[in-house]
């Protein structure tokens, strides 16, 4: 159940993207909360990535917190490169997807997530480009989180990340009512990896679904002091900030 959307406003496609994340409180596993840092397209193919409080591993179940990066460009595991300590997931739900996962303790502090085009590769759909995700935890030592190959829309032009994109906070497993959702506080901001400039504009909104009431225990807003989009969710949280564009 998505409870808040974080819309990023970029002016043009990009070869890479960076997200700075401040984990303010650590949420325990058991209840699945997903902060998708971005959800967009690469040469027209859908993808998303972010952090989850309880990753699902096929044949095992919940394995605790970590990083998720998925693509709807393909259903072939051959298009994945799994990082040391990580694993792959190939699923038929959500329209069919492939993805790489990396269990990581999401301890409080400042994190950096970078997605970048890492060179031309063959894919199951023809020529394409590999996009690699790296994660830098608060201790400053970057780790590889895996890579996915995306087919090119034009064989002679390297694939790019589309100018649009929307992150979101989602409750995906282990709870139905807000009172049993552990409180989780995080902040995020997207950056241009070339210039280091912050995303120039964006918006926060709250989804409304015709078949169920909104999840009200989530609050999101752009904070001018931190320069980040703050997200709070779980027991005791109220939606105090309305949907709004920023800056």
């Amino acid at each position: 159940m998505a409870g808040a959307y974080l819309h990023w406003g970029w002016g043009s496609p990009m070869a890479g993207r960076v997200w700075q994340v401040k984990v303010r409180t650590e949420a325990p596993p058991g209840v699945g909360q997903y902060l998708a840092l971005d959800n967009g397209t690469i040469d027209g193919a859908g993808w998303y990535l972010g952090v989850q409080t309880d990753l699902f591993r096929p044949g095992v179940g919940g394995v605790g917190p970590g990083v998720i990066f998925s693509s709807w460009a393909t259903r072939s595991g051959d298009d994945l490169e799994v990082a040391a300590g990580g694993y792959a997931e190939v699923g038929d739900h959500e329209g069919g997807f492939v993805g790489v996962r990396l269990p990581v303790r999401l301890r409080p502090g400042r994190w950096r997530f970078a997605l970048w085009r890492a060179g031309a590769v063959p894919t199951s759909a023809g020529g394409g480009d590999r996009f690699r995700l790296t994660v830098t935890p608060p201790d400053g030592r970057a780790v590889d989180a895996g890579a996915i190959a995306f087919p090119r829309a034009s064989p002679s032009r390297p694939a790019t990340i589309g100018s649009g994109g929307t992150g979101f906070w989602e409750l995906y497993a282990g709870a139905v009512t807000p009172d049993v959702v552990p409180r989780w506080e995080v902040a995020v901001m997207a950056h241009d990896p070339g210039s280091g400039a912050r995303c120039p504009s964006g918006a926060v909104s709250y989804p409304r679904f015709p078949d169920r009431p909104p999840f009200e225990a989530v609050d999101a807003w752009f904070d001018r002091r931190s320069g980040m989009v703050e997200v709070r969710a779980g027991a005791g949280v109220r939606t105090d900030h309305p949907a709004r564009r920023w800056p």
Side-chain angles (χ1 to χ4, degrees):
M1 177 188 296
Y5 292 147
L6 318 178
H7 306 279
W8 305 117
W10 296 100
S12 60
M14 310 162 73
R17 198 166 290 170
V18 169
W19 300 264
Q20 299 288 348
V21 176
K22 178 74 172 181
V23 177
R24 302 197 184 281
T25 63
E26 185 174 1
V31 172
Q33 301 183 60
Y34 180 18
L35 178 66
L37 305 180
D38 215 331
N39 175 23
T41 61
I42 294 177
D43 267 26
W47 62 275
Y48 67 22
L49 63 81
V51 291
Q52 295 187 341
T53 59
D54 204 357
L55 294 176
F56 171 79
R57 184 163 189 165
V60 177
V63 295
V67 180
I68 176 173
F69 175 28
S70 295
S71 166
W72 286 263
T74 172
R75 295 189 184 183
S76 174
D78 293 339
D79 294 325
L80 302 178
E81 185 177 314
V82 178
Y87 61 94
E89 185 174 1
V90 179
D92 292 325
H93 57 288
E94 296 186 341
F97 69 94
V98 298
V100 290
R101 314 287 186 252
L102 183 67
V104 175
R105 180 184 167 188
L106 300 173
R107 61 188 183 276
R110 187 171 294 275
W111 295 69
R112 182 181 187 269
F113 298 79
L115 181 67
W116 45 282
R117 187 176 63 219
V121 292
T123 75
S124 59
D129 292 281
R130 176 184 290 115
F131 280 77
R132 183 172 301 283
L133 177 64
T134 56
V135 179
T136 305
D139 64 14
R141 292 177 293 183
V143 296
D144 178 26
I148 302 177
F150 287 79
R152 292 180 177 181
S154 173
S156 61
R157 187 178 66 245
T160 56
I161 303 171
S163 57
T166 300
F168 55 84
W169 176 90
E170 176 186 67
L171 176 66
Y172 63 88
V176 176
T177 58
D179 58 302
V180 294
V181 178
R183 184 160 175 153
W184 194 26
E185 298 184 14
V186 291
V188 59
M189 178 48 63
H191 293 261
D192 182 328
S195 66
R198 186 179 72 192
C199 183
S201 65
V204 170
S205 67
Y206 302 97
R208 295 293 182 263
F209 302 99
D211 58 339
R212 60 182 183 269
F215 186 86
E216 295 181 346
V218 60
D219 194 22
W221 70 99
F222 174 73
D223 185 87
R224 294 184 183 277
R225 293 170 298 176
S226 67
M228 304 180 81
V229 178
E230 303 281 342
V231 181
R232 295 176 182 170
V237 175
R238 300 183 310 174
T239 305
D240 291 330
H241 295 83
R244 183 171 294 170
R245 296 198 60 82
W246 54 266

